[in-house]
Amino acid sequence: MTKIIKLKPGKEESVFRHHPWIFSGAVSNIPEGIEEGDEVCVSSSKGDILGTGHYQIGSITVRILEFGTDHLTEDFYARRLESAYRLRENLNLIRPDNNCYRLVHGEGDFLPGLVVDIYGDTAVMQAHSPGMHFARHKIAEALTMIPNARIRNVYYKSDTTLPYKAHLDPDNEYLIGSYDGNIAIENGLQFNIDWLKGQKTGFFVDQRENRSLLERFASGRTVLNMFCYTGGFSVYAMRGGAKSVDSVDSSSKAAALTDANIMLNFPDDSRHHTYDTDAFKFLADMEKDKYDLIILDPPAFAKHRSAIKNGLIGYRKLNAKAFEKIKKGGVLFTFSCSQAITKDMFRMAVFTAAAKSGRKVRILYQLSQPADHPVDISHPEGEYLKGLVLYVE
Ligand code: SAH
């Protein structure tokens, strides 16, 4: 029997609006014998069943997956995954020249706690909740059964995403299949994806459309790609006809990945150079007016609400350096992937940096996450990527 968690009177409102999180303050009882990650039903204070989800210890007590009475069987996951796949098909993301995309974006695909990125015939899966960890085998099976998707390998990589206090200590491993190559194609460009040792699932799929936009600005420009990781923006800039491209990352592994990806697409092309160094040091040391297309795509400076203030100082300082040094008529692509920092906060940080530099700055584009990272309107917290394309005179 599935255990039932009852809500306190008056705490049902967010569930009626299909917000998938039940906070601990809304719960009137924790059933005896319940274990972290268990499937639970959530009921109103009067006892009506409102949904089914995963129980967790912490401020979010339940993540609801189903607003109804359905159980979280393999068949349930199969239906959710198939629907996620159909959306990506409709978005025309699955093509001979594009075989990497996000298949599951947590709450945005009505699967809170789960992320799945696809690289060719390999799915890389991350659980962010104990419930998804325990469901991993069902999910892996269901992934390989999605009609036409041809997913043959499922790699599970949750060592850094599961709550540390749950002590699950998961192994990173293939749940199905095995390694059979790691080259994925994005908009006709090839990328080595290192899901075994790389960050996240191995690639930042979320910048695909922003990289495409950058390509259109690259012709004849001198490009600086800060925080380059796999060199995604750099490879697009090269195809766009940049005069030169410099990529910077403080991780030597990232610098090596960038080099490998440039080699894969533009072998022996002398326009590109990689610098394995700290971004702030590079910006402080670089000469003025050298670059007329700069990308700033740093890691999240504010991972939690408590870090917002310092995060904003970081964005302000970073952007201030770019405004100080970019050539007249230059274009700046600047991003924040901190979920805790809102679009308005990020804009204020960037605008303050621009004002202090005394440069005349105009907004050309306001960027966000792509359609394979959808935001459920009941869960606006799912919006995290923010970007601005600025023209600097
Ligand atoms: N722009 C990338 C993703 C960036 S992820 C893409 O399109 O795929 C953030 C990167 O910043 C990581 O590779 C990390 O190694 C790098 N990084 C973190 N702190 C840094 C610093 N102080 N200086 C330079 N790089 C840094």
Side-chain angles (χ1 to χ4, degrees), residues 140-288:
E141 280 299 327
L143 279 168
T144 62
M145 308 290 269
I146 302 171
N148 307 326
R150 287 187 224 98
I151 294 168
R152 290 192 305 192
N153 314 303
V154 180
Y155 186 68
Y156 184 64
K157 189 185 186 202
S158 302
D159 59 336
T160 57
T161 56
L162 284 165
Y164 163 74
K165 285 186 188 155
H167 299 297
L168 296 166
D169 305 323
D171 287 328
N172 290 343
E173 59 179 341
Y174 284 95
L175 298 178
I176 294 178
S178 58
Y179 179 85
D180 71 351
N182 72 329
I183 293 181
I185 307 168
E186 184 184 89
N187 289 323
L189 293 164
Q190 297 183 74
F191 289 94
N192 289 285
I193 316 285
D194 187 1
W195 51 79
L196 300 179
K197 297 205 185 75
Q199 304 169 41
K200 305 272 171 84
T201 67
F203 195 56
F204 285 80
V205 191
D206 58 359
Q207 288 287 23
R208 181 185 52 248
E209 288 175 11
N210 303 332
R211 290 193 271 256
S212 275
L213 181 65
L214 178 98
E215 182 177 356
R216 288 162 36 198
F217 278 90
S219 179
R221 289 199 185 256
T222 305
V223 182
L224 173 62
N225 180 12
M226 302 298 288
F227 309 94
C228 63
Y229 186 30
T230 56
F233 282 103
S234 307
V235 176
Y236 278 73
M238 294 286 281
R239 188 169 68 179
K243 193 159 130 202
S244 69
V245 181
D246 288 347
S247 304
V248 177
D249 202 291
S250 57
S251 143
S252 53
K253 269 191 213 151
L257 261 173
T258 294
D259 282 336
N261 286 329
I262 294 284
M263 268 303 281
L264 196 59
N265 294 278
F266 302 97
D268 305 319
D269 192 322
S270 60
R271 290 178 296 154
H272 183 265
H273 293 96
T274 304
Y275 297 87
D276 165 3
T277 183
D278 178 72
F280 287 91
K281 183 173 181 325
F282 188 93
L283 284 169
D285 294 349
M286 83 188 197
E287 58 188 273
K288 234 178 141 185

Side-chain angles (χ1 to χ4, degrees), residues 307-324:
I308 290 177
K309 199 169 158 226
N310 284 340
L312 288 172
I313 294 173
Y315 288 114
R316 211 153 55 223
K317 279 193 178 158
L318 181 65
N319 283 277
K321 274 284 165 223
F323 287 125
E324 184 191 320

